[in-house]
Amino acid sequence: MDNSDLILVVDDTPANLAVLSEALNDAGFEVAIATDGELAISQAELSLPSLILLDIMMPGIDGFETCRRLKASEITQNIPIIFMTALSDSTDKIKGLNLGAVDYVTKPFEEAELIARVKTQLKLYHLTENLENQVAERTRKLEETLHQLQQSQVQLIQSEKMAALGQLVAGVAHEINNPVNFIHANLKYIEEYTQIFLDFLELYQKNYPNPVDEIQEQAEDIDLEFLQSDVTKMLASMKIGTERIKEIVFSLRNFSRMDEAEFKDVDIHEGIESTLLILQHRLKAQPQRPEIKIIREYGRLPSVECYSGQLNQVFMNILANAIEALEEANAKLTYQEIEDNLNQILIHTSVINEELVQIIIADNGCGIPEHIRQRVFDPFFTTKPVGKGTGMGLSISYQIVVEKHKGQLKCCSEVGGGTKFVIQIPIYQTKE
Protein backbone atom coordinates (compact mmCIF):
# COMPACT_ATOMS: atom_id res chain seq x y z
CA MET A 1 0.00 0.00 0.00
CA ASP A 2 1.23 3.48 -0.89
CA ASN A 3 0.50 6.19 1.70
CA SER A 4 0.12 8.68 -1.14
CA ASP A 5 -2.95 6.79 -2.36
CA LEU A 6 -5.78 9.14 -3.25
CA ILE A 7 -9.19 8.27 -1.77
CA LEU A 8 -12.28 9.85 -3.35
CA VAL A 9 -15.08 10.33 -0.79
CA VAL A 10 -18.58 10.82 -2.24
CA ASP A 11 -21.27 12.00 0.18
CA ASP A 12 -23.85 14.78 0.11
CA THR A 13 -23.58 15.44 3.87
CA PRO A 14 -20.84 17.97 4.80
CA ALA A 15 -20.49 16.53 8.30
CA ASN A 16 -19.79 13.08 6.92
CA LEU A 17 -17.25 14.47 4.45
CA ALA A 18 -15.45 16.28 7.26
CA VAL A 19 -15.26 13.21 9.52
CA LEU A 20 -14.15 10.90 6.73
CA SER A 21 -11.56 13.33 5.38
CA GLU A 22 -10.03 13.79 8.81
CA ALA A 23 -9.88 10.05 9.50
CA LEU A 24 -8.30 9.28 6.15
CA ASN A 25 -5.82 12.15 6.39
CA ASP A 26 -4.78 10.95 9.84
CA ALA A 27 -4.14 7.52 8.29
CA GLY A 28 -1.80 9.10 5.74
CA PHE A 29 -4.05 9.18 2.69
CA GLU A 30 -4.73 12.00 0.28
CA VAL A 31 -8.45 12.80 0.05
CA ALA A 32 -10.67 14.21 -2.69
CA ILE A 33 -14.36 14.85 -2.18
CA ALA A 34 -17.52 14.99 -4.27
CA THR A 35 -21.03 15.83 -3.11
CA ASP A 36 -23.02 13.98 -5.79
CA GLY A 37 -22.72 11.21 -8.36
CA GLU A 38 -22.10 13.37 -11.40
CA LEU A 39 -19.25 15.21 -9.68
CA ALA A 40 -17.87 11.89 -8.46
CA ILE A 41 -17.67 10.49 -11.99
CA SER A 42 -15.96 13.63 -13.33
CA GLN A 43 -13.54 13.73 -10.39
CA ALA A 44 -12.70 10.02 -10.72
CA GLU A 45 -11.95 10.31 -14.44
CA LEU A 46 -9.79 13.37 -13.81
CA SER A 47 -7.78 12.30 -10.74
CA LEU A 48 -7.98 8.45 -10.99
CA PRO A 49 -8.18 7.71 -7.25
CA SER A 50 -6.91 4.43 -5.82
CA LEU A 51 -10.27 3.82 -4.06
CA ILE A 52 -13.71 5.38 -3.86
CA LEU A 53 -15.89 5.59 -0.74
CA LEU A 54 -19.39 6.01 -2.18
CA ASP A 55 -22.60 6.92 -0.37
CA ILE A 56 -25.76 5.25 -1.71
CA MET A 57 -28.45 7.79 -0.79
CA MET A 58 -27.67 11.00 -2.67
CA PRO A 59 -29.65 13.58 -4.66
CA GLY A 60 -29.58 13.23 -8.44
CA ILE A 61 -28.14 9.87 -9.41
CA ASP A 62 -27.79 7.56 -6.40
CA GLY A 63 -24.78 5.49 -5.45
CA PHE A 64 -25.93 2.45 -7.42
CA GLU A 65 -26.17 4.38 -10.70
CA THR A 66 -22.89 6.15 -9.96
CA CYS A 67 -21.20 2.79 -9.41
CA ARG A 68 -22.71 1.36 -12.60
CA ARG A 69 -21.39 4.26 -14.67
CA LEU A 70 -17.95 4.14 -13.07
CA LYS A 71 -17.68 0.41 -13.83
CA ALA A 72 -18.90 0.96 -17.40
CA SER A 73 -16.07 3.39 -18.13
CA GLU A 74 -12.73 2.00 -19.34
CA ILE A 75 -11.00 4.79 -17.41
CA THR A 76 -12.50 4.04 -13.99
CA GLN A 77 -13.74 0.44 -14.21
CA ASN A 78 -10.87 -1.03 -12.16
CA ILE A 79 -11.03 1.42 -9.25
CA PRO A 80 -12.31 -0.43 -6.12
CA ILE A 81 -15.53 1.00 -4.65
CA ILE A 82 -16.65 0.66 -1.03
CA PHE A 83 -20.29 1.59 -0.45
CA MET A 84 -21.27 3.61 2.63
CA THR A 85 -24.86 3.05 3.63
CA ALA A 86 -27.29 3.04 6.50
CA LEU A 87 -29.31 0.40 4.68
CA SER A 88 -29.47 -3.09 6.15
CA ASP A 89 -31.51 -4.68 3.36
CA SER A 90 -29.49 -7.57 1.92
CA THR A 91 -31.10 -7.00 -1.48
CA ASP A 92 -29.51 -3.56 -1.69
CA LYS A 93 -26.16 -4.96 -0.64
CA ILE A 94 -26.29 -7.73 -3.19
CA LYS A 95 -27.28 -5.20 -5.84
CA GLY A 96 -24.25 -3.07 -5.00
CA LEU A 97 -21.86 -6.02 -5.05
CA ASN A 98 -23.29 -7.19 -8.37
CA LEU A 99 -22.63 -3.72 -9.77
CA GLY A 100 -18.95 -4.12 -8.92
CA ALA A 101 -18.48 -2.80 -5.38
CA VAL A 102 -15.84 -4.64 -3.35
CA ASP A 103 -17.16 -3.96 0.16
CA TYR A 104 -19.74 -2.23 2.37
CA VAL A 105 -19.36 0.06 5.37
CA THR A 106 -22.51 0.53 7.41
CA LYS A 107 -23.28 3.89 9.00
CA PRO A 108 -22.60 4.89 11.68
CA PHE A 109 -19.15 3.34 11.21
CA GLU A 110 -16.19 2.78 13.45
CA GLU A 111 -13.18 4.78 12.29
CA ALA A 112 -10.74 1.91 12.89
CA GLU A 113 -12.92 -0.53 10.94
CA LEU A 114 -13.25 1.89 8.04
CA ILE A 115 -9.47 2.45 7.82
CA ALA A 116 -8.85 -1.31 8.07
CA ARG A 117 -11.27 -2.04 5.23
CA VAL A 118 -9.75 0.71 3.08
CA LYS A 119 -6.22 -0.61 3.66
CA THR A 120 -7.26 -4.20 2.90
CA GLN A 121 -8.90 -3.26 -0.39
CA LEU A 122 -5.93 -1.09 -1.39
CA LYS A 123 -3.54 -3.98 -0.72
CA LEU A 124 -5.64 -6.28 -2.90
CA TYR A 125 -5.97 -3.59 -5.57
CA HIS A 126 -2.23 -2.95 -5.80
CA LEU A 127 -1.41 -6.65 -5.70
CA THR A 128 -3.83 -7.34 -8.54
CA GLU A 129 -2.54 -4.36 -10.50
CA ASN A 130 1.07 -5.53 -10.13
CA LEU A 131 0.20 -9.10 -11.09
CA GLU A 132 -1.69 -7.97 -14.18
CA ASN A 133 1.21 -5.78 -15.27
CA GLN A 134 3.70 -8.61 -14.74
CA VAL A 135 1.56 -11.11 -16.66
CA ALA A 136 0.85 -8.63 -19.48
CA GLU A 137 4.55 -7.87 -19.88
CA ARG A 138 5.51 -11.54 -19.84
CA THR A 139 2.76 -12.32 -22.34
CA ARG A 140 3.94 -9.55 -24.65
CA LYS A 141 7.50 -10.86 -24.54
CA LEU A 142 6.33 -14.42 -25.20
CA GLU A 143 4.24 -13.29 -28.15
CA GLU A 144 7.22 -11.41 -29.58
CA THR A 145 9.47 -14.45 -29.12
CA LEU A 146 6.92 -16.75 -30.75
CA HIS A 147 6.43 -14.36 -33.67
CA GLN A 148 10.17 -14.10 -34.24
CA LEU A 149 10.50 -17.87 -34.20
CA GLN A 150 7.66 -18.34 -36.68
CA GLN A 151 9.32 -15.85 -39.05
CA SER A 152 12.70 -17.58 -38.88
CA GLN A 153 11.72 -21.26 -38.81
CA VAL A 154 11.15 -21.75 -42.53
CA GLN A 155 14.61 -20.33 -43.36
CA LEU A 156 16.60 -22.53 -40.98
CA ILE A 157 18.26 -25.81 -41.90
CA GLN A 158 17.06 -28.90 -40.02
CA SER A 159 19.69 -28.83 -37.28
CA GLU A 160 19.08 -25.12 -36.65
CA LYS A 161 15.35 -25.79 -36.40
CA MET A 162 15.90 -28.31 -33.64
CA ALA A 163 18.17 -25.97 -31.69
CA ALA A 164 15.76 -23.02 -32.10
CA LEU A 165 12.79 -25.06 -30.90
CA GLY A 166 14.68 -26.18 -27.81
CA GLN A 167 15.71 -22.63 -26.99
CA LEU A 168 12.17 -21.36 -27.48
CA VAL A 169 10.58 -23.93 -25.20
CA ALA A 170 13.25 -23.40 -22.55
CA GLY A 171 12.74 -19.64 -22.86
CA VAL A 172 8.97 -19.98 -22.59
CA ALA A 173 9.41 -22.15 -19.49
CA HIS A 174 11.73 -19.53 -17.97
CA GLU A 175 9.42 -16.60 -18.78
CA ILE A 176 6.37 -18.39 -17.39
CA ASN A 177 8.28 -19.42 -14.29
CA ASN A 178 9.01 -15.84 -13.20
CA PRO A 179 5.42 -14.52 -12.92
CA VAL A 180 4.18 -17.86 -11.58
CA ASN A 181 6.77 -17.80 -8.79
CA PHE A 182 5.78 -14.19 -8.08
CA ILE A 183 2.10 -15.13 -7.81
CA HIS A 184 2.82 -18.30 -5.82
CA ALA A 185 5.02 -16.44 -3.34
CA ASN A 186 2.44 -13.68 -2.81
CA LEU A 187 -0.31 -16.22 -2.26
CA LYS A 188 1.57 -17.30 0.85
CA TYR A 189 1.25 -13.79 2.31
CA ILE A 190 -2.37 -13.41 1.21
CA GLU A 191 -3.07 -16.71 2.95
CA GLU A 192 -1.34 -15.48 6.13
CA TYR A 193 -3.18 -12.15 6.08
CA THR A 194 -6.50 -13.88 5.49
CA GLN A 195 -5.87 -16.26 8.40
CA ILE A 196 -5.04 -13.27 10.63
CA PHE A 197 -8.37 -11.67 9.72
CA LEU A 198 -10.23 -14.93 10.30
CA ASP A 199 -8.49 -15.51 13.66
CA PHE A 200 -9.30 -11.98 14.70
CA LEU A 201 -12.93 -12.46 13.72
CA GLU A 202 -13.07 -15.74 15.62
CA LEU A 203 -11.59 -14.03 18.70
CA TYR A 204 -14.17 -11.27 18.39
CA GLN A 205 -16.98 -13.80 18.13
CA LYS A 206 -15.61 -15.71 21.14
CA ASN A 207 -15.46 -12.65 23.39
CA TYR A 208 -18.67 -11.11 22.08
CA PRO A 209 -20.91 -14.11 21.47
CA ASN A 210 -24.06 -11.99 21.55
CA PRO A 211 -23.53 -9.10 19.14
CA VAL A 212 -26.04 -6.35 18.64
CA ASP A 213 -28.92 -7.10 16.27
CA GLU A 214 -27.43 -5.04 13.48
CA ILE A 215 -24.18 -7.05 13.46
CA GLN A 216 -26.07 -10.33 13.75
CA GLU A 217 -28.30 -9.38 10.81
CA GLN A 218 -25.26 -8.35 8.77
CA ALA A 219 -23.54 -11.66 9.50
CA GLU A 220 -26.63 -13.56 8.38
CA ASP A 221 -27.08 -11.38 5.31
CA ILE A 222 -23.56 -11.96 4.03
CA ASP A 223 -23.53 -15.61 5.17
CA LEU A 224 -20.43 -15.03 7.27
CA GLU A 225 -19.91 -18.68 8.15
CA PHE A 226 -19.83 -19.62 4.45
CA LEU A 227 -17.41 -16.79 3.61
CA GLN A 228 -15.04 -17.88 6.41
CA SER A 229 -14.83 -21.41 5.04
CA ASP A 230 -14.96 -20.53 1.34
CA VAL A 231 -12.13 -17.99 1.36
CA THR A 232 -9.63 -20.60 2.59
CA LYS A 233 -10.86 -23.03 -0.06
CA MET A 234 -10.40 -20.40 -2.75
CA LEU A 235 -6.84 -19.70 -1.66
CA ALA A 236 -6.10 -23.43 -1.57
CA SER A 237 -7.41 -23.86 -5.13
CA MET A 238 -5.31 -20.91 -6.31
CA LYS A 239 -2.21 -22.52 -4.79
CA ILE A 240 -3.04 -25.79 -6.54
CA GLY A 241 -3.39 -23.85 -9.80
CA THR A 242 0.03 -22.24 -9.51
CA GLU A 243 1.59 -25.58 -8.55
CA ARG A 244 0.01 -27.10 -11.65
CA ILE A 245 1.57 -24.38 -13.82
CA LYS A 246 4.94 -25.07 -12.19
CA GLU A 247 4.55 -28.75 -13.11
CA ILE A 248 3.88 -27.76 -16.72
CA VAL A 249 6.98 -25.53 -16.69
CA PHE A 250 9.00 -28.49 -15.41
CA SER A 251 7.66 -30.62 -18.27
CA LEU A 252 8.53 -27.91 -20.78
CA ARG A 253 12.08 -27.84 -19.48
CA ASN A 254 12.28 -31.61 -19.59
CA PHE A 255 10.91 -31.64 -23.12
CA SER A 256 13.26 -28.93 -24.36
CA ARG A 257 16.60 -30.49 -23.52
CA MET A 258 17.75 -29.73 -27.07
CA ASP A 259 21.09 -28.28 -26.05
CA GLU A 260 22.52 -31.52 -24.70
CA ALA A 261 25.49 -32.34 -26.89
CA GLU A 262 26.02 -35.83 -25.48
CA PHE A 263 23.99 -38.99 -25.27
CA LYS A 264 22.46 -39.51 -21.84
CA ASP A 265 20.52 -42.30 -20.17
CA VAL A 266 16.87 -41.33 -20.39
CA ASP A 267 13.49 -42.67 -19.25
CA ILE A 268 11.54 -42.92 -22.52
CA HIS A 269 8.19 -42.91 -20.71
CA GLU A 270 9.06 -39.64 -18.99
CA GLY A 271 9.70 -38.04 -22.39
CA ILE A 272 6.40 -39.35 -23.78
CA GLU A 273 4.47 -38.08 -20.76
CA SER A 274 6.01 -34.60 -20.92
CA THR A 275 5.05 -34.44 -24.60
CA LEU A 276 1.47 -35.54 -23.85
CA LEU A 277 1.22 -32.86 -21.18
CA ILE A 278 2.20 -30.18 -23.69
CA LEU A 279 -0.42 -31.51 -26.15
CA GLN A 280 -3.10 -31.91 -23.46
CA HIS A 281 -5.13 -28.92 -24.66
CA ARG A 282 -5.53 -30.58 -28.07
CA LEU A 283 -6.61 -33.90 -26.55
CA LYS A 284 -9.42 -32.46 -24.42
CA ALA A 285 -13.05 -32.58 -25.51
CA GLN A 286 -14.05 -29.89 -28.03
CA PRO A 287 -17.52 -28.59 -28.98
CA GLN A 288 -17.36 -30.62 -32.20
CA ARG A 289 -15.93 -33.85 -30.71
CA PRO A 290 -15.33 -35.81 -27.47
CA GLU A 291 -11.85 -36.08 -25.99
CA ILE A 292 -9.12 -38.04 -27.75
CA LYS A 293 -8.34 -40.97 -25.46
CA ILE A 294 -4.72 -41.98 -24.87
CA ILE A 295 -4.24 -45.71 -24.32
CA ARG A 296 -0.93 -46.45 -22.62
CA GLU A 297 0.56 -49.91 -22.96
CA TYR A 298 3.95 -49.34 -21.38
CA GLY A 299 6.43 -52.16 -21.06
CA ARG A 300 9.32 -52.35 -18.59
CA LEU A 301 11.95 -50.35 -20.46
CA PRO A 302 15.54 -49.82 -19.36
CA SER A 303 17.09 -46.36 -19.55
CA VAL A 304 17.94 -45.56 -23.17
CA GLU A 305 21.09 -43.75 -24.25
CA CYS A 306 19.89 -40.93 -26.53
CA TYR A 307 19.52 -37.22 -27.25
CA SER A 308 16.43 -36.83 -25.08
CA GLY A 309 15.30 -33.43 -26.39
CA GLN A 310 15.48 -34.55 -30.01
CA LEU A 311 13.67 -37.81 -29.28
CA ASN A 312 10.94 -35.84 -27.53
CA GLN A 313 10.57 -33.82 -30.74
CA VAL A 314 9.96 -37.07 -32.62
CA PHE A 315 7.17 -37.96 -30.18
CA MET A 316 5.76 -34.44 -30.58
CA ASN A 317 5.70 -34.62 -34.39
CA ILE A 318 4.09 -38.06 -34.53
CA LEU A 319 1.52 -37.39 -31.81
CA ALA A 320 0.58 -34.02 -33.35
CA ASN A 321 0.11 -35.74 -36.74
CA ALA A 322 -2.09 -38.38 -35.09
CA ILE A 323 -4.29 -35.67 -33.53
CA GLU A 324 -4.60 -33.91 -36.89
CA ALA A 325 -5.49 -37.19 -38.62
CA LEU A 326 -8.29 -37.80 -36.11
CA GLU A 327 -9.58 -34.24 -36.48
CA GLU A 328 -9.57 -34.64 -40.26
CA ALA A 329 -11.58 -37.87 -39.95
CA ASN A 330 -14.00 -36.19 -37.51
CA ALA A 331 -14.79 -33.45 -40.03
CA LYS A 332 -16.75 -35.99 -42.05
CA LEU A 333 -18.71 -37.43 -39.07
CA THR A 334 -21.46 -36.31 -36.73
CA TYR A 335 -20.82 -35.97 -33.00
CA GLN A 336 -22.79 -39.15 -32.35
CA GLU A 337 -20.78 -41.09 -34.94
CA ILE A 338 -17.57 -39.96 -33.27
CA GLU A 339 -18.89 -41.05 -29.87
CA ASP A 340 -19.76 -44.48 -31.29
CA ASN A 341 -16.17 -44.92 -32.47
CA LEU A 342 -14.17 -42.90 -29.96
CA ASN A 343 -10.98 -41.19 -31.09
CA GLN A 344 -7.97 -42.85 -29.56
CA ILE A 345 -4.19 -42.95 -29.77
CA LEU A 346 -2.39 -46.07 -28.63
CA ILE A 347 1.17 -45.81 -27.26
CA HIS A 348 2.85 -49.20 -26.86
CA THR A 349 6.42 -49.64 -25.63
CA SER A 350 8.45 -52.83 -25.37
CA VAL A 351 11.94 -54.32 -25.36
CA ILE A 352 12.65 -56.16 -28.62
CA ASN A 353 15.94 -57.68 -27.53
CA GLU A 354 19.00 -56.77 -25.47
CA GLU A 355 19.89 -54.06 -27.99
CA LEU A 356 16.60 -52.40 -29.04
CA VAL A 357 13.48 -50.84 -27.57
CA GLN A 358 10.36 -50.17 -29.62
CA ILE A 359 7.74 -47.41 -29.37
CA ILE A 360 4.51 -47.71 -31.38
CA ILE A 361 2.18 -44.73 -31.76
CA ALA A 362 -1.07 -45.64 -33.54
CA ASP A 363 -4.30 -43.73 -34.18
CA ASN A 364 -7.69 -44.98 -35.36
CA GLY A 365 -8.13 -42.20 -37.90
CA CYS A 366 -8.96 -42.49 -41.60
CA GLY A 367 -5.53 -43.82 -42.62
CA ILE A 368 -3.14 -42.74 -45.39
CA PRO A 369 -3.36 -43.77 -49.06
CA GLU A 370 -0.35 -45.79 -50.28
CA HIS A 371 0.94 -43.13 -52.71
CA ILE A 372 1.08 -40.61 -49.87
CA ARG A 373 2.42 -43.06 -47.27
CA GLN A 374 5.50 -43.69 -49.44
CA ARG A 375 6.42 -40.00 -49.27
CA VAL A 376 5.65 -39.07 -45.63
CA PHE A 377 9.37 -38.87 -44.73
CA ASP A 378 10.34 -36.81 -47.80
CA PRO A 379 11.56 -33.28 -46.95
CA PHE A 380 8.97 -30.54 -47.64
CA PHE A 381 6.27 -33.06 -48.59
CA THR A 382 2.91 -32.08 -47.13
CA THR A 383 -0.76 -32.53 -47.97
CA LYS A 384 -1.75 -29.49 -45.89
CA PRO A 385 -2.85 -26.18 -47.43
CA VAL A 386 -0.23 -23.48 -48.02
CA GLY A 387 0.77 -21.86 -44.76
CA LYS A 388 -0.45 -24.78 -42.62
CA GLY A 389 2.76 -26.80 -42.54
CA THR A 390 6.33 -26.97 -43.86
CA GLY A 391 6.42 -30.70 -44.55
CA MET A 392 9.54 -31.03 -42.39
CA GLY A 393 8.15 -32.63 -39.20
CA LEU A 394 8.39 -36.29 -40.21
CA SER A 395 11.53 -35.71 -42.27
CA ILE A 396 13.25 -34.28 -39.20
CA SER A 397 11.91 -37.16 -37.11
CA TYR A 398 13.38 -39.65 -39.59
CA GLN A 399 16.73 -37.88 -39.44
CA ILE A 400 16.76 -37.94 -35.63
CA VAL A 401 15.82 -41.63 -35.33
CA VAL A 402 17.79 -43.09 -38.23
CA GLU A 403 20.80 -40.81 -38.62
CA LYS A 404 21.33 -39.50 -35.09
CA HIS A 405 20.36 -42.65 -33.16
CA LYS A 406 21.03 -45.41 -35.70
CA GLY A 407 17.47 -46.66 -35.25
CA GLN A 408 14.47 -47.24 -37.48
CA LEU A 409 11.27 -45.30 -38.14
CA LYS A 410 8.46 -46.87 -40.14
CA CYS A 411 4.95 -45.84 -41.10
CA CYS A 412 2.22 -48.46 -41.54
CA SER A 413 -1.20 -47.39 -42.74
CA GLU A 414 -4.14 -48.14 -44.98
CA VAL A 415 -7.23 -46.16 -45.84
CA GLY A 416 -9.89 -46.69 -43.17
CA GLY A 417 -7.50 -48.59 -40.92
CA GLY A 418 -5.69 -45.85 -39.02
CA THR A 419 -1.98 -45.09 -39.01
CA LYS A 420 0.86 -46.62 -36.99
CA PHE A 421 4.40 -45.29 -36.56
CA VAL A 422 7.01 -47.75 -35.30
CA ILE A 423 10.16 -46.37 -33.68
CA GLN A 424 13.09 -48.60 -32.82
CA ILE A 425 15.98 -47.14 -30.81
CA PRO A 426 19.21 -48.83 -29.68
CA ILE A 427 19.49 -49.02 -25.89
CA TYR A 428 23.19 -48.18 -26.13
CA GLN A 429 24.92 -46.03 -28.72
CA THR A 430 28.12 -47.34 -30.28
CA LYS A 431 30.96 -44.83 -30.49
CA GLU A 432 32.31 -44.30 -33.99
Side-chain angles (χ1 to χ4, degrees), residues 23-63:
L24 291 167
N25 282 324
D26 289 344
F29 298 109
E30 294 184 18
V31 180
I33 62 173
T35 54
D36 61 51
E38 296 287 357
L39 288 174
I41 293 170
S42 300
Q43 181 79 345
E45 290 179 345
L46 181 65
S47 59
L48 291 179
S50 299
L51 185 141
I52 299 174
L53 286 169
L54 179 59
D55 189 26
I56 290 181
M57 305 301 292
M58 295 185 297
I61 62 172
D62 63 12

Side-chain angles (χ1 to χ4, degrees), residues 200-213 215-217 219-220 224:
F200 181 80
L201 181 59
E202 184 178 352
L203 182 64
Y204 180 85
Q205 291 172 323
K206 177 181 176 182
N207 287 278
Y208 297 94
N210 300 308
V212 297
D213 291 344
I215 294 177
Q216 182 63 35
E217 290 173 4
E220 292 174 358
L224 185 60

Side-chain angles (χ1 to χ4, degrees), residues 325-326 328-329 332-333 341-342 363-370 373 412-420:
L326 291 170
E328 182 181 344
K332 304 171 185 177
L333 303 174
N341 184 29
L342 284 177
D363 65 68
N364 64 339
C366 54
I368 305 173
E370 178 63 19
R373 187 193 63 77
C412 307
S413 183
E414 60 182 41
V415 176
T419 301
K420 177 171 67 176

Side-chain angles (χ1 to χ4, degrees), residues 208-270:
Y208 297 94
N210 300 308
V212 297
D213 291 344
E214 186 177 6
I215 294 177
Q216 182 63 35
E217 290 173 4
Q218 175 77 350
E220 292 174 358
D221 288 342
I222 65 175
D223 198 350
L224 185 60
E225 185 177 348
F226 168 76
L227 292 178
Q228 287 175 266
S229 63
D230 196 49
V231 69
T232 56
K233 293 177 183 177
M234 290 171 62
L235 287 170
S237 66
M238 291 167 71
K239 287 180 68 177
I240 291 171
T242 55
E243 286 166 1
R244 174 63 172 163
I245 296 173
K246 291 172 76 175
E247 289 175 4
I248 294 172
V249 169
F250 176 80
S251 292
L252 284 168
R253 285 176 168 173
N254 178 56
F255 172 81
S256 66
R257 291 183 292 188
M258 301 291 184
D259 56 343
E260 294 179 352
E262 299 178 356
F263 287 106
K264 291 189 177 181
D265 289 339
V266 170
D267 182 342
I268 293 293
H269 296 149
E270 185 180 282

Side-chain angles (χ1 to χ4, degrees), residues 266-390:
V266 170
D267 182 342
I268 293 293
H269 296 149
E270 185 180 282
I272 294 172
E273 288 302 318
S274 69
T275 306
L276 287 171
L277 183 60
I278 293 168
L279 290 170
Q280 187 62 39
H281 68 288
R282 297 188 60 186
L283 297 169
K284 291 180 179 178
Q286 308 290 338
Q288 69 274 18
R289 64 158 175 82
E291 69 170 330
I292 297 174
K293 186 174 180 58
I294 300 296
I295 300 175
R296 297 169 174 83
E297 294 181 355
Y298 290 168
R300 294 176 62 86
L301 300 186
S303 295
V304 176
E305 198 175 18
C306 66
Y307 295 118
S308 61
Q310 294 186 16
L311 203 56
N312 287 345
Q313 181 61 25
V314 174
F315 300 147
M316 171 68 81
N317 287 336
I318 294 176
L319 286 166
N321 279 354
I323 293 170
E324 289 171 3
L326 291 170
E327 290 176 341
E328 182 181 344
N330 290 341
K332 304 171 185 177
L333 303 174
T334 66
Y335 193 95
Q336 185 60 51
E337 288 173 331
I338 300 171
E339 278 194 324
D340 293 340
N341 184 29
L342 284 177
N343 296 161
Q344 64 182 39
I345 297 174
L346 167 69
I347 305 175
H348 177 88
T349 63
S350 61
V351 176
I352 298 177
N353 53 44
E354 61 184 14
E355 296 180 352
L356 291 172
V357 297
Q358 180 170 273
I359 304 102
I360 296 175
I361 300 176
D363 65 68
N364 64 339
C366 54
I368 305 173
E370 178 63 19
H371 69 283
I372 293 178
R373 187 193 63 77
Q374 293 177 353
R375 299 189 60 194
V376 293
F377 297 123
D378 291 352
F380 302 107
F381 174 76
T382 179
T383 58
K384 298 174 185 176
V386 175
K388 295 296 184 181
T390 62

